[in-house]
């Protein structure tokens, strides 16, 4: 899946995280969520999965964007 196929829910306003390298939350065409963030090594996830860490503010922004 290409980034262009995702709807960006966060990092679209002013501030330091308008670039593609900041933590962000995206929505896919099927309604699932894709999260971009710093790799976390809190524990070893199952094969094929990964852990990312994002600031709470990014998650709150995504929730607002979705109207939840």
């Amino acid at each position: 899946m290409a980034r262009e196929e995702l709807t960006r829910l966060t990092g679209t306003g002013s501030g330091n995280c308008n670039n593609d390298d900041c933590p962000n939350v995206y929505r896919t065409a099927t309604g699932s969520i894709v999260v971009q963030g710093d790799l976390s090594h809190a524990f070893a996830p199952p094969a094929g999965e990964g852990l990312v860490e994002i600031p709470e503010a990014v998650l709150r922004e995504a929730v607002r964007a979705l109207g939840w």
Side-chain angles (χ1 to χ4, degrees), residues 5-30:
E5 298 175 68
L6 303 172
T7 301
R8 189 172 178 169
L9 300 175
T10 60
T12 56
S14 62
N16 295 331
C17 280
N18 290 328
N19 299 322
D20 292 335
D21 62 347
C22 292
N24 281 297
V25 177
Y26 300 86
R27 190 171 194 178
T28 68
T30 60

Side-chain angles (χ1 to χ4, degrees), residues 1 8 31 48 57 64:
M1 172 181 315
R8 189 172 178 169
R64 281 193 300 275

Side-chain angles (χ1 to χ4, degrees), residues 28-66:
T28 68
T30 60
S32 61
I33 302 295
V34 175
V35 178
Q36 173 188 354
D38 295 327
L39 286 178
S40 173
H41 302 287
F43 63 89
E49 295 184 7
L51 301 175
V52 297
E53 185 174 336
I54 61 170
E56 181 180 324
V58 172
L59 187 56
R60 288 181 182 275
E61 184 180 351
V63 168
R64 281 193 300 275
L66 290 167

